[in-house]
Amino acid sequence: MTTGMKRAGVVLAWVLAMALGGWLASQTRFTTDLSFFLPSRPSAEQQVLVEQLREGVVSRLIMVAIEGGDSATRAERSRALRQRLAADADFVSVQNGELDAFDRELAVLQRHRYSLSPAVGEQRFTPDGLREAILNTIDIVSSPAGLPFKAQFLADPTGEAFEVLMGWQSQGQPTMADGVWTSRDGERALLLLQTRAAGADTDGQAQAAARVQAVFDELSAHAPDALRLELSGPGVFAVQTRAAIKADVARLTLASSIGISLLLGFVFRRWRPLLLTLVPAVSGSLAGLVVVGQVHGSVFAITAGFGAALVGEAVDYGIYYFVQTGRADRGSWQERFWPTIRLGVATSMLGFGALLFAGFPGLAQLGLYAMTGVFVAALTTRLVLPAMAGSHVARTPDLPAWVTPRMVALQAWRWPALGAAAIALAYLAWQHDRLWEPDLSALSSVSAQDAERDARLRSDLGAPDARYMVVVRAPDREAALRGAETAAQRLDPLVAQGLIGGYDSPARFLPSEALQRERQRILPTTEALSRNLALALQGQPLSSERLRPFVDAVARARTAEPMRREDLTGSALAIAVDSLLQPHADGWTALLPLRPAPGAADAGLPVDTLRSALEGSGASFIDLKQEFESVYSDYLGQAITLSLLGLAGIVLVLGASLRNLRRLVGVMLPIAAAVLIVVAVLHALGVRLHLLHLIGMLLIVAVGSNYSLFIERWRRDPQADPQALLSVLVACATTAIGFGVLSLSSVPVLQAVGVTVAPGALLALLLSAMLTPAEARE
């Protein structure tokens, strides 16, 4: 087989592999939820956190505000918007305070009103109790709010259906104006939507949010006015974050591509090597994406975003090849330079490989992505680039004569550099307990303005907060519902005292069978009810004979089967119950999301009072924010530990390869000094470090090890080609451009990597020139 045929075969195999990888990548599911930071084997409390982030009712809520115009115009638009969205398959519930929004729910509660009504008690069906309830119901059905119940008055004169509905709405009921919900200041009409898509389904959340905006715009087109739409909620934030990451990655990738292309265009003076330099980077990024998707089933957005960071290192390999072969044949390149590149690849893979053993899927994904990407990029450089380049040599300009002596002269700065590293180490030791940001919000792309709007809408709507939960665990569903009812008895006094704003409970929509049986037991016999009803209506214009449908309904309710989950199918109540009552392999969990009292400082709750009130009830109180911060602290601690283990592995591999302690110190010292100085400067400038800064440190080690190995080799080789030094300088420049552009990102996770790696790569190169032993290049 000729050399040309071999090269064509290699290129064809690469094209087929890329096509297969592209197809697999197109089938990959991407997620943006915070489960990136959750453990793969969560505790019971952490499991609640995982479920709420992915499937919980709070994660499905979209809060809508209509601003501008006058109150009547806003109310009219609210009604029109609710009517259109209620018929949309993207939503299981659309509420704005209109009772018409509860048609299906009203049908359910009419059938099971005596099992559901909290008003059913021993005194309810005595003569006095009946008289009071009937007169109250007459007042209700005579008002606009009671119109939906007027037709059922003869069958439900005690107003049990109304009592149930008011119980469902009593927790955090918003202010009403013109028949719809409005904000406390009366300036916004409000709607609360529950999406069919789970909170973790960012595509579904994006579709739902876009649908709301599209319907509003369509209504505005038919009735031009000054009304404006605001959306908020966990799903909306996830969509905005993904869009911000996409926009920033696209914008910054374009900027860095232009900068790197101009630099490489100057170096290569030809378009072919310029394009081929990107082949290892693209191959590695695609391979990392595919492997993570196949192993983990989905790819976190942070992991995918890491691909842009990987390009910064992987593009170095193409530069090494084309610059270093510009003055030498390929066989000589493979003999003289490939071993150094191979050793650098091994150190990079070790540094990230330690993350594979993390108990957090996010870290494991990052480790797998980086290892795969670096390995494939290096393999592509070794096998595919020579075949693609063929016999064309990328002639590069000579290294300016002044560069080599300047690099050698940098050794005069050896002791100042060591002094700076020592000062950085001392500073970091002094600040060790204040280095890391414990609050996960540091990684959030949600602006302060958006967070303030979300808090305002949540307060106006009385929507449940994802932060506070009362959790009941039980062996079966019935026991979980009974536990939720017991917890509710402890929470009701706190609501009455104004200490908490309210709570949701699955037992409010689906009482336990035990409670339903107890309410059935309280219902009077036909004879007793007829007698008490006649006494109750003495002197009233309404005769007991007209209420015969009521007597028959109570008789049927006495012997009816208890309401079960299946009876709620087709209504929003089914979603509410399913999101608050969840099965597990070892039992059931009932969730009671809590609302802070209106005007509570920082939307907080009296934690000690809550725990005291729930003591002995079998229920536990969980602050999910506190739990999340605890998990993140463990996550960060594990990442630091694994990174140190990876660093130890790098030292062992370099030691085994270099077989000389002096050489090993000469290679590792610049990298360690670069990391120490960058971290110390960032912290001194007010930056609290978080996970992505740590990933940036790993990248400094990854790219810095390549630079340090090449500089060490260059100093030791009396016959070293200046082009070897040129390749390192160009590679460092492209890395600085790529990551330097990331430092301009508005997305915290991207910005953190940029501000860490860009200066770190430059420092690693300069410190390698400063700290490599001078006598090595005699």
Side-chain angles (χ1 to χ4, degrees):
M1 183 180 291
T2 65
T3 301
M5 293 178 64
K6 289 181 180 179
R7 289 174 176 170
V10 170
V11 174
L12 177 61
W14 176 83
V15 170
L16 292 176
M18 291 293 288
L20 176 61
W23 179 80
L24 290 173
S26 70
Q27 307 301 309
T28 300
R29 184 170 64 90
F30 295 89
T31 59
T32 57
D33 59 76
L34 290 176
S35 58
F36 177 89
F37 299 99
L38 298 178
S40 53
R41 294 182 177 84
S43 65
E45 289 77 11
Q46 293 164 353
Q47 184 63 37
V48 173
L49 185 60
V50 173
E51 291 163 353
Q52 287 306 295
L53 286 172
R54 292 176 175 164
E55 300 287 341
V57 64
V58 175
S59 70
R60 297 170 181 260
L61 295 181
I62 296 181
M63 297 176 289
V64 179
I66 300 174
E67 297 183 327
D70 56 31
S71 178
T73 304
R74 292 193 297 268
E76 181 181 353
R77 181 62 52 82
S78 173
R79 285 188 284 270
L81 188 62
R82 185 200 67 77
Q83 185 177 11
R84 290 282 300 276
L85 295 178
D88 197 295
D90 288 334
F91 305 97
V92 296
S93 174
V94 181
Q95 302 175 27
N96 69 342
E98 293 181 282
L99 286 179
D100 290 348
F102 293 95
D103 287 344
R104 285 180 293 180
E105 290 72 23
L106 286 172
V108 171
L109 68 86
Q110 286 286 4
R111 288 196 304 271
H112 302 282
R113 57 186 181 272
Y114 296 105
S115 296
L116 291 169
S117 176
V120 172
E122 296 288 352
Q123 299 300 313
R124 185 68 165 177
F125 299 99
T126 64
D128 291 340
L130 286 168
R131 182 185 303 109
E132 181 181 354
I134 292 171
L135 293 177
N136 185 55
T137 304
I138 290 173
D139 290 339
I140 291 171
V141 299
S142 300
S143 67
L147 288 179
F149 303 94
K150 190 171 185 178
Q152 296 294 322
F153 173 76
L154 296 181
D156 186 20
T158 56
E160 305 306 333
F162 186 80
E163 291 286 347
V164 176
L165 185 60
M166 290 302 100
W168 288 347
Q169 293 188 307
S170 63
Q171 303 296 320
Q173 177 73 5
T175 304
M176 297 285 291
D178 295 300
V180 299
W181 287 338
T182 186
S183 59
R184 288 190 176 87
D185 60 10
E187 295 299 319
R188 294 176 295 279
L190 306 175
L191 297 93
L192 186 62
L193 318 180
Q194 188 173 342
T195 63
R196 191 172 301 280
D201 181 3
T202 310
D203 288 334
Q205 292 293 324
Q207 180 177 321
R211 181 58 180 159
V212 176
Q213 186 67 59
V215 171
F216 181 83
D217 292 343
E218 185 179 338
L219 294 172
S220 298
H222 290 90
D225 46 44
L227 298 184
R228 301 180 302 278
L229 187 71
E230 280 190 347
L231 303 179
S232 191
V236 175
F237 288 151
V239 172
Q240 290 174 347
T241 298
R242 185 175 69 175
I245 291 175
K246 283 185 175 180
D248 259 24
V249 167
R251 176 173 58 86
L252 298 176
T253 298
L254 177 62
S256 63
S257 297
I258 292 173
I260 292 173
S261 297
L262 290 174
L263 174 63
L264 295 184
F266 173 77
V267 172
F268 296 132
R269 311 292 174 89
R270 298 172 64 184
W271 65 267
R272 186 172 181 179
L274 172 63
L275 293 179
L276 291 180
T277 299
L278 301 177
V279 168
V282 173
S283 303
S285 297
L286 182 59
L289 195 65
V290 169
V291 170
V292 170
Q294 295 302 305
V295 172
H296 290 271
S298 64
V299 180
F300 291 113
I302 294 179
T303 305
F306 187 68
L310 180 65
V311 170
E313 178 184 3
V315 76
D316 288 357
Y317 300 146
I319 293 171
Y320 293 148
Y321 176 78
F322 283 110
V323 175
Q324 292 166 0
T325 57
R327 303 287 175 151
D329 61 81
R330 286 163 182 75
S332 176
W333 175 80
Q334 293 173 5
E335 178 182 344
R336 295 178 59 191
F337 297 106
W338 175 249
T340 304
I341 296 175
R342 184 176 58 204
L343 185 56
V345 170
T347 60
S348 297
M349 293 183 65
L350 270 174
F352 288 106
L355 299 181
L356 289 175
F357 303 99
F360 296 85
L363 278 181
Q365 279 199 14
L366 282 177
L368 181 60
Y369 190 111
M371 285 188 66
T372 304
V374 168
F375 176 76
V376 171
L379 193 65
T380 302
T381 303
R382 175 67 176 79
L383 301 178
V384 179
L385 275 193
M388 288 185 167
S391 59
H392 297 278
V393 177
R395 299 294 296 179
T396 54
D398 292 331
L399 183 70
W402 57 267
V403 174
T404 298
R406 294 292 190 282
M407 290 293 290
V408 173
L410 285 175
Q411 285 211 319
W413 293 86
R414 177 183 182 86
W415 291 110
L418 288 174
I423 292 172
L425 179 61
Y427 173 81
L428 295 176
W430 173 46
Q431 295 284 324
H432 72 279
D433 57 341
R434 292 185 289 274
L435 283 179
W436 299 97
E437 174 59 66
D439 192 343
L440 193 60
S441 62
L443 298 178
S444 174
S445 298
V446 178
S447 67
Q449 181 180 0
D450 287 341
E452 187 276 332
R453 180 174 65 247
D454 183 80
R456 184 183 69 239
L457 290 177
R458 195 172 298 279
S459 176
D460 284 340
L461 278 164
D465 197 317
R467 174 173 179 176
Y468 301 108
M469 292 277 176
V470 172
V471 180
V472 177
R473 296 183 181 84
D476 54 56
R477 177 160 54 187
E478 174 68 8
L481 288 170
R482 290 200 304 270
E485 289 161 354
T486 301
Q489 293 171 3
R490 306 292 185 92
L491 294 174
D492 285 338
L494 303 184
V495 176
Q497 297 169 39
L499 296 177
I500 63 175
Y503 63 90
D504 285 332
S505 170
R508 180 173 290 132
F509 312 108
L510 179 64
S512 66
E513 289 193 18
L515 180 57
Q516 293 186 59
R517 295 292 189 191
E518 175 62 20
R519 287 171 178 168
Q520 283 180 309
R521 186 193 62 78
I522 291 172
L523 295 177
T525 64
T526 298
E527 294 76 12
L529 180 58
S530 297
R531 182 175 60 253
N532 291 344
L533 194 58
L535 293 172
L537 295 177
Q538 285 181 353
Q540 300 297 327
L542 181 66
S543 69
S544 60
E545 298 301 325
R546 293 192 61 197
L547 298 182
R548 187 65 193 180
F550 168 53
V551 177
D552 294 340
V554 173
R556 289 192 298 270
R558 277 173 51 83
T559 58
E561 286 296 313
M563 185 179 75
R564 296 183 172 87
R565 162 60 183 83
E566 294 74 19
D567 297 315
L568 304 178
T569 301
S571 72
L573 302 177
I575 297 294
V577 170
D578 291 345
S579 61
L580 298 175
L581 187 65
Q582 299 167 348
H584 306 285
D586 57 348
W588 287 72
T589 298
L591 303 173
L592 288 77
L594 306 179
R595 300 180 181 87
D602 300 324
L605 291 178
V607 174
D608 293 338
T609 303
L610 272 164
R611 289 202 168 106
S612 176
L614 293 171
E615 189 173 352
S617 67
S620 57
F621 169 77
I622 298 178
D623 181 343
L624 293 184
K625 181 175 183 292
Q626 186 179 55
E627 190 67 33
F628 214 150
E629 289 176 354
S630 174
V631 171
Y632 176 62
S633 177
D634 294 341
Y635 189 102
L636 191 58
Q638 189 176 106
I640 293 172
T641 300
L642 291 173
S643 298
L644 292 175
L645 290 175
L647 182 61
I650 290 173
V651 173
L652 290 175
V653 168
L654 287 177
S657 177
L658 299 176
R659 300 181 182 180
N660 183 295
L661 180 60
R662 185 180 181 83
R663 292 181 64 192
L664 175 62
V665 172
V667 169
M668 289 304 302
L669 190 57
I671 304 171
V675 171
L676 289 173
I677 292 173
V678 167
V679 172
V681 170
L682 285 175
H683 191 267
L685 292 175
V687 176
R688 295 289 293 275
L689 306 178
H690 54 67
L691 177 69
L692 274 300
H693 291 105
L694 178 64
I695 300 301
M697 295 177 212
L698 287 176
L699 279 166
I700 292 175
V701 174
V703 299
S705 63
N706 289 296
Y707 303 158
S708 188
L709 284 168
F710 269 115
I711 293 295
E712 193 268 348
R713 175 188 171 88
W714 174 75
R715 284 196 177 282
R716 289 180 58 253
D717 186 359
Q719 307 301 320
D721 189 335
Q723 298 305 100
L725 178 59
L726 176 62
S727 69
V728 177
L729 294 176
V730 173
C732 182
T734 58
T735 299
I737 291 172
F739 286 99
V741 169
L742 282 183
S743 67
L744 303 177
S745 174
S746 60
V747 179
V749 295
L750 299 179
Q751 195 259 358
V753 173
V755 299
T756 307
V757 180
L762 290 171
L763 267 178
L765 176 63
L766 294 175
L767 290 171
S768 295
M770 295 176 191
L771 301 179
T772 301
E775 58 270 22
R777 185 176 174 87
E778 294 293 339

